[in-house]
Amino acid sequence: MAVTRREFMMASGALACGLALGSARAQTAAGLKKLKLGVGLKSMSPIVINLVVGEILGYNKAEGLSVTTQALGTNANVQVAVDRGDIDFGVGVPSFGLPVLSRGEWKQSVNFYEYTYPYKWDVAVLPKSDIHSYADLKGKRIGVSGFGATDYPVTRNVLQSMGFDPDKDFKWVAVGGGVPAGVALERGQIDALAYYDVGFGLIESAGLPFRLLPRPPKLPLIGGQFLETRRERMEKDKAEVIGVGRAVCKASQFILANPKAGALAFLRMYPEAAPRGSSQEQAVEAIYKAIGRRIKLYVPPYPHAKMGSINVKEFETEAAMNHWKIADYSPFYTNDLIDAINDFDPAKVRSDAMNYR
């Protein structure tokens, strides 16, 4: 799905409000460089847990940094904010960036760390639904969290790879994210819900029933998510960019070693993420369930690849599926910082995680 000029203009207009809503929770200290990281969410969610808990765990501070995370609403908003320099770092999403690259308009930004690898999306139906495969979805109403979210273009791509026409064979319905998406499915407002791993975890924690359809064979490895920044920052503040990547890499290792400790750290930063009326133990369990599917995707699915390294085949596959003609991907990403980002003692991070209280 290409992002039109009009959509980018609309995203630009939405930034002024979104940038004013940055989290005030970051524990800053004198002498730390303060940076802003944008995510394409309407409110903070454990989907980005490994991007944010480095602040409370001290990993940002160890790099001389304090990072404030801002929920900017959509991935397009984030892309515009990074390109304009309104934020220092953002979440890069190929389904929004590759069309820009194919038009020869990609100029300012570069993806330098893959913090979540493919594949994280599924399609769910009610337990008693007569839909049992992706092929059974033809003619049905498929819910997505929103048309500016990644679950929409990625699911379209998968169905298109199976020979369907995404525009003619299905009706797409925006139902919102989190529990409201599960409610829409339960109430029959949609026949199926295309959503991501952490989102399904939140729905499951709320006690709403669903059944995941079996994934089609040869599922394309697309839909990874990345840290991106302006190329100018890469050149002038290289150590700073490495520091942000290293903090995320450490946080990912921490969560992998002790997911419940990661959940507790996230709740200390964002206590409103706890289910209403829950105890701390119940809240930690809810976040743990939400991230259970996601944390496996912190590790590259490629043999001998270092955490955070980017495989260009993901971009090539997505471009081919959408008929985007791209001759050179080098302006879009770099692996030049991966060795430096991974230059820390993972055993020490794992030990910290196991002893976290």
Side-chain angles (χ1 to χ4, degrees), residues 256-280:
L256 282 165
N258 190 346
K260 290 191 176 181
L264 179 58
F266 181 81
L267 286 166
R268 286 175 171 162
M269 292 187 71
Y270 302 98
E272 71 274 17
R276 186 173 299 176
S278 63
S279 65
Q280 176 177 285

Side-chain angles (χ1 to χ4, degrees), residues 137-142 152 156 159-160 163-172:
L137 291 169
K138 186 173 182 179
K140 304 298 186 181
R141 299 164 298 168
I142 303 178
Y152 176 57
R156 285 173 57 92
L159 291 170
Q160 183 173 281
F164 291 111
D165 184 326
D167 294 312
K168 295 180 180 179
D169 292 335
F170 315 96
K171 181 178 180 181
W172 301 91

Side-chain angles (χ1 to χ4, degrees), residues 22-29 32-37 52-57 60 65-70 268-271:
S23 168
R25 300 169 177 83
Q27 304 281 325
T28 60
L32 298 181
K33 177 69 176 294
K34 297 180 182 180
L35 300 172
K36 293 178 287 188
L37 167 67
V52 301
V53 295
E55 186 69 14
I56 198 168
L57 295 175
N60 292 335
L65 310 171
S66 176
V67 182
T68 299
T69 304
Q70 302 180 342
R268 286 175 171 162
M269 292 187 71
Y270 302 98

Side-chain angles (χ1 to χ4, degrees), residues 123 125 129-142 155 158-165 169-170 192 211 213-217:
V123 176
V125 296
S129 172
D130 59 0
I131 300 172
H132 296 284
S133 69
Y134 278 53
D136 295 336
L137 291 169
K138 186 173 182 179
K140 304 298 186 181
R141 299 164 298 168
I142 303 178
T155 305
V158 171
L159 291 170
Q160 183 173 281
S161 73
M162 297 176 65
F164 291 111
D165 184 326
D169 292 335
F170 315 96
R211 168 171 53 86
L213 296 179
R215 290 177 173 178

